[in-house]
Amino acid sequence: MTDASDLPVWPGEAYPLGATFDGTGTNFAIYTESAEKVELCLFGEDEAETRIELKEVDAFVWHAYLPTVQPGQRYGYRVHGEYDPANGLRHNPAKLLLDPYAKATSGTIEWGQPLHSYDFGDPLSFNDEDSAPHMVKGVVINPFFDWTGDRHPRTPYNESLIYEAHVKGMTQTHPDVPEQLRGTYAGLAHPSIIAHLQKIGVTAIELMPVHQFVHDATLLEKGLRNYWGYNTLSFFAPHAEYAGTGELGQQVQEFKAMVKAMHDAGIEVLLDVVYNHTAEGNHFGPTLSWRGIDNQAYYRLVDDDQQHYMDYTGTGNSLNVGNPHALQMIMDSLRYWVTEMHVDGFRFDLAATLAREFYDVDKLSTFFELVQQDPVISQVKLIAEPWDIGPGGYQVGNFPPQWTEWNGEYRDQVRDFWRGEPTALGEFASRLAGSADLYEHSGRRPVASINFITAHDGFTLRDLVSYNEKHNDANGEDGNDGESHNRSYNHGAEGPTDDPEILNVRARQQRNFLATLLLSQGVPMLLHGDELGRTQQGNNNTYAQDSELSWIDWERIDKPLIEFTATIARLRHDHPTFRRKRFFTGNTVRTGDGERLNDIVWLRLDATPMGPDDWDGDSDRSLGMYLNGHGIAGRGARGERIVDDHFLLYVNASAEEHELTLPGAEFAEAWDVLVDTGAESAHDDARPAGSVQALRPRSFVLLREHTTPIDPDFSVAASIAANRASSAPEPDDASAPES
């Protein structure tokens, strides 16, 4: 330890918290109510430590201003106070603590006894080994960045297509990304990656955790790593391993440059954030930050046994959202990522935990009230994973109106439908139409539903149609990890096969899932690589697989599937019928030329409307729907009605071919086939009203009203191009607020 007597120290300010460089020097501020003394520790290149006691305290914020400290300075804290784990107090000045507000970090954690405040084997004992040589340090950053020309795309929810992606997994093997940039923020911003996202219609990339996280000791001992990143060490710092440069604090600049590049391409950046727990784990865990700063303030402790932590997440601890200072940290973090890092929204991991002020989940909890009132956070995209593992934790459909939700009901029922599992057609139809049964009762719109079929947690799309069982041996948990009920179907062989018939039906099923997802009402979310045919070889829990098993293999991609995905995404983009802002009413639509059909009509395969008895049966596993393009509520920016073409959509999830009769001329004179996942080639002939055709096994068919008389020289391709040019609404029509 070096002498700090000749280092100028000024009183500084209690706000903002963290280390703030103002262009001249740096202000340091840290909250702790239970401490008796706080030391700021500065580290030189030779690891020499300089300790500075913070003597200024305002409202439990300890602070100082150091006029000579510049960006790149590494630092941490030592907090003195009572050590009484049985009563929730865990101060130990032998442990270097990371600033909860650190904007960047340096170094890696070296696991072992020094990081723990107790002696192994006795969780109530006191260990005084110095943890600094083994601990990550905070880094003072240069906050200045040239954002000139940057604009948030602010894509309306109903026009959004979200793409869940992993920074490293997305870029690690891409041949066009320079090797030194693979697995980094800069690699993600590479033109080849952005071009692919644009090709398939992505409007928002949702990044799996990029907050600085920790690789668990138990995984490292097995030769594995925490790949997913749901083990947060800092809620403000970008994960340093995803930076292409080793310069101190440069990960912040690189992240900002990535965001700016995405915005230039019209793509929003959403972050998967983990505010429900931290990397410190349960009472056996290490002392890295919050635990040693103010354990009782930051964590939910068992009321009558404060040695132990409440655990609603399965990770050992839960943040104390009932404490105003813990809540302030969460809100400050969210605001920082929006205002300073320019991100466009958040997906909240296990969001039900944030609603547990006391025990039960409460959608009117303080956290949601703060979000509602915040002028910054309330204006970005807020997506909840609406469950946790605690009692009453499954809360799909119950979040506040400004929130959207990962719709787990959509995932489950769409999977069941296409794999042929007996289920009521009404359940599937509700998901296809926007899940009004889940969201309309609280005044919400179809966009409250983030529709997804696959996500990082579970099978990829290709594996969903290739495996009946999980194959997680590589995780080292004897196959006990991961979901066992996957609602998947291998179609006759487990995993890889050379059988052309099985391969054909698997390919068709992937197209069925993608078409269903992208043309359902609500907001679609794709898992990265699903459009490429990515496989994890049946592993449905790759949280520890930082390897080729999880990374996208860009050398082996399904090019026809990419083209199919791009085509369906384009259909959705071009036609507001598939991205309505309001739920269907089932009411008759009146226009200037008289009375039209309902905005939606559910059809049997014989062209008659579905009756009450049809919804309960599922013997033929088929369903049709008519979508009235004149039945879209609302007006464009100039007051004009938003109108679109009329569509027919048919699904057949059975293994049998069915006879399909197109509806009569009161719907349309003729129809063009735009999509038929069961067809081997495209069809160029228009289908007259009332005509009979085959609805192939396991197929998704989309038809559009043919708007010109049928003639022998008719071409679907030419008709589509002509109709798009003449009848598609102006961009303002599709995106303008409704009346």
Side-chain angles (χ1 to χ4, degrees):
M1 184 171 65
T2 59
D3 184 12
S5 60
D6 59 348
L7 194 65
V9 179
W10 300 350
E13 302 290 342
Y15 186 86
L17 292 168
T20 306
F21 176 69
D22 62 7
T24 302
T26 303
N27 191 82
F28 293 89
I30 182 172
Y31 158 79
T32 170
E33 187 170 344
S34 56
E36 298 170 359
K37 174 182 173 181
V38 176
E39 293 177 305
L40 170 66
C41 307
L42 306 180
F43 291 87
E45 293 182 4
D46 58 356
E47 297 302 319
E49 178 182 349
T50 302
R51 299 184 187 180
I52 303 160
E53 182 178 349
L54 302 185
K55 297 183 178 181
E56 299 291 333
V57 187
D58 292 299
F60 304 114
V61 175
W62 306 61
H63 55 89
Y65 181 88
L66 278 65
T68 60
V69 169
Q70 301 292 299
Q73 174 65 59
R74 296 179 301 142
Y75 74 101
Y77 288 100
R78 296 184 187 273
V79 178
H80 301 250
E82 187 175 355
Y83 184 78
D84 183 6
N87 290 302
L89 298 170
R90 294 180 177 269
H91 295 298
N92 186 340
K95 310 306 170 185
L96 184 76
L97 305 174
L98 183 68
D99 180 2
Y101 280 69
K103 306 303 191 301
T105 64
S106 173
T108 58
I109 282 180
E110 297 176 3
W111 290 106
Q113 176 69 81
L115 292 178
H116 295 75
S117 285
Y118 65 92
D119 293 323
F120 288 161
D122 183 2
L124 295 179
S125 63
F126 182 83
N127 177 276
D128 61 1
E129 294 181 65
D130 185 10
S131 70
H134 314 280
M135 182 59 190
V136 165
K137 278 80 173 178
V139 178
V140 177
I141 67 161
N142 182 348
F144 306 109
F145 180 81
D146 184 6
W147 286 109
T148 302
D150 183 67
R151 295 181 61 190
H152 291 277
R154 301 194 186 283
T155 307
Y157 268 120
N158 72 309
E159 296 179 21
S160 296
L161 196 169
I162 299 172
Y163 190 81
E164 188 192 28
H166 188 283
V167 172
K168 187 173 184 179
M170 187 76 182
T171 62
Q172 186 66 19
T173 72
H174 200 293
D176 295 336
V177 176
E179 189 170 351
Q180 69 273 19
L181 298 182
R182 295 176 187 174
T184 70
Y185 305 118
L188 195 64
H190 192 272
S192 62
I193 299 295
I194 290 178
H196 175 74
L197 297 175
Q198 291 177 315
K199 178 181 177 67
I200 60 173
V202 170
T203 67
I205 186 167
E206 181 180 300
L207 297 179
M208 291 180 65
V210 296
H211 288 172
Q212 183 66 43
F213 60 85
V214 172
H215 296 287
D216 316 59
T218 54
L219 293 180
L220 295 176
E221 289 168 1
K222 298 176 183 177
L224 302 172
R225 286 158 55 84
N226 190 319
Y227 174 65
W228 286 353
Y230 294 94
N231 202 27
T232 306
L233 182 61
S234 172
F235 295 114
F236 293 81
H239 190 60
E241 289 181 313
Y242 296 158
T245 174
E247 295 182 41
L248 291 172
Q250 286 304 301
Q251 60 264 45
V252 177
Q253 301 293 315
E254 189 174 323
F255 183 92
K256 290 178 177 179
M258 179 272 292
V259 171
K260 188 175 182 181
M262 288 290 177
H263 286 178
D264 286 345
I267 298 172
E268 294 180 305
V269 177
L270 313 178
L271 301 188
D272 190 340
V273 290
V274 190
Y275 293 112
N276 52 72
H277 74 279
T278 77
E280 290 186 306
N282 62 18
H283 60 291
F284 291 118
T287 297
L288 308 175
S289 180
W290 307 273
R291 172 172 286 145
I293 294 171
D294 198 323
N295 188 54
Q296 293 172 317
Y298 284 114
Y299 292 116
R300 291 285 303 272
L301 306 180
V302 178
D303 289 338
D304 56 355
D305 181 12
Q306 297 210 340
Q307 175 190 350
H308 296 101
Y309 297 80
M310 298 296 293
D311 182 9
Y312 298 114
T313 65
T315 58
N317 64 52
S318 301
L319 272 179
N320 186 9
V321 292
N323 181 280
H325 296 283
L327 273 174
Q328 179 188 1
M329 178 186 68
I330 295 173
M331 295 302 295
D332 285 348
S333 169
L334 291 169
R335 203 175 298 111
Y336 173 79
W337 286 94
V338 174
T339 59
E340 296 297 320
M341 308 295 266
H342 284 212
V343 305
D344 305 280
F346 306 93
R347 178 264 187 189
F348 293 79
D349 178 66
L350 301 180
T353 301
L354 298 173
R356 293 184 184 272
E357 278 195 340
F358 299 101
Y359 182 77
D360 295 327
V361 176
D362 180 5
K363 69 179 180 180
L364 301 178
S365 70
T366 305
F367 171 71
F368 294 112
E369 292 175 353
L370 289 174
V371 169
Q372 176 74 34
Q373 297 170 18
D374 191 280
V376 175
I377 307 307
S378 64
Q379 299 306 304
V380 302
K381 287 184 168 65
L382 302 170
I383 304 170
E385 181 184 33
W387 50 76
D388 65 16
I389 67 169
Y394 191 76
Q395 292 291 320
V396 172
N398 292 327
F399 273 69
Q402 73 182 128
W403 287 70
T404 62
E405 300 173 13
W406 272 25
N407 190 343
E409 295 292 326
Y410 181 96
R411 172 199 59 202
D412 294 346
Q413 289 162 17
V414 170
R415 285 187 179 193
D416 277 348
F417 177 80
W418 280 115
R419 73 185 176 119
E421 184 72 13
T423 183
L425 286 176
E427 295 284 355
F428 175 76
S430 292
R431 304 304 150 239
L432 201 60
S435 296
D437 57 325
L438 298 177
Y439 301 110
E440 192 172 26
H441 68 90
S442 57
R444 300 163 81 183
R445 302 282 179 90
V447 295
S449 177
I450 304 296
N451 299 330
F452 70 106
I453 294 166
T454 57
H456 67 273
D457 189 0
F459 282 146
T460 66
L461 184 60
R462 180 175 170 183
D463 289 355
L464 186 67
V465 301
S466 303
Y467 293 89
N468 285 348
E469 308 295 336
K470 62 185 179 183
H471 296 266
N472 295 359
D473 291 343
N475 298 350
E477 298 186 41
D478 297 323
N480 293 317
D481 64 299
E483 176 61 57
S484 295
H485 184 45
N486 293 284
R487 293 181 162 89
S488 61
Y489 181 36
N490 65 21
H491 299 91
E494 186 73 355
T497 180
D498 294 328
D499 187 318
E501 185 175 342
I502 293 176
L503 293 174
N504 180 275
V505 71
R506 286 178 178 177
R508 188 186 311 167
Q509 288 287 64
Q510 289 178 80
R511 295 194 296 272
N512 289 336
F513 278 121
L514 288 168
T516 303
L517 176 66
L518 294 173
L519 298 181
S520 293
Q521 302 300 324
V523 183
M525 185 188 80
L526 277 171
L527 170 63
H528 80 180
D530 275 356
E531 79 285 3
L532 306 168
R534 182 173 74 93
T535 178
Q536 293 175 168
Q537 300 174 27
N539 192 317
N540 73 349
N541 189 32
T542 58
Y543 76 103
Q545 297 298 324
D546 188 1
S547 66
E548 291 86 351
L549 184 66
S550 296
W551 307 334
I552 290 179
D553 184 351
W554 288 95
E555 297 295 335
R556 297 181 181 179
I557 58 176
D558 187 337
K559 293 183 179 179
L561 191 60
I562 297 174
E563 296 302 324
F564 179 84
T565 305
T567 297
I568 304 300
R570 186 66 191 177
L571 273 170
R572 183 177 186 277
H573 174 273
D574 288 349
H575 294 284
T577 292
F578 302 112
R579 42 184 176 80
R580 294 169 55 98
K581 294 181 180 178
R582 296 180 180 176
F583 289 111
F584 293 105
T585 65
N587 297 328
T588 299
V589 178
R590 297 179 181 275
T591 65
D593 56 358
E595 188 173 287
R596 300 285 295 188
L597 292 165
N598 297 356
D599 57 1
I600 184 171
V601 180
W602 297 100
L603 296 168
R604 293 157 45 108
L605 298 190
D606 62 2
T608 61
M610 295 276 287
D613 294 339
D614 296 318
W615 292 111
D616 295 328
D618 64 351
S619 58
D620 61 6
R621 312 289 300 143
S622 60
L623 179 70
M625 61 188 298
Y626 164 80
L627 299 171
N628 189 332
H630 294 174
I632 305 172
R635 301 270 176 182
R638 295 175 292 278
E640 70 278 17
R641 291 183 63 249
I642 298 175
V643 296
D644 195 6
D645 303 316
H646 308 309
F647 290 89
L648 286 174
L649 190 157
Y650 290 95
V651 290
N652 176 20
S654 76
E656 306 298 326
E657 183 175 289
H658 296 308
E659 185 178 272
L660 169 63
T661 301
L662 295 181
E666 69 272 18
F667 286 81
E669 293 292 335
W671 299 90
D672 301 330
V673 178
L674 300 185
V675 178
D676 185 348
T677 62
E680 295 182 1
S681 59
H683 295 272
D684 288 337
D685 56 319
R687 309 296 174 85
S691 63
V692 178
Q693 66 181 70
L695 182 60
R696 296 173 179 83
R698 298 190 179 95
S699 63
F700 180 109
V701 177
L702 180 70
L703 305 97
R704 186 176 62 175
E705 179 185 16
H706 183 61
T707 56
T708 58
I710 301 174
D711 64 62
D713 298 322
F714 172 76
S715 163
V716 167
S719 175
I720 291 174
N723 283 337
R724 280 180 177 167
S726 62
S727 64
E730 296 292 327
D732 285 345
D733 296 346
S735 61
E738 298 181 6
S739 59

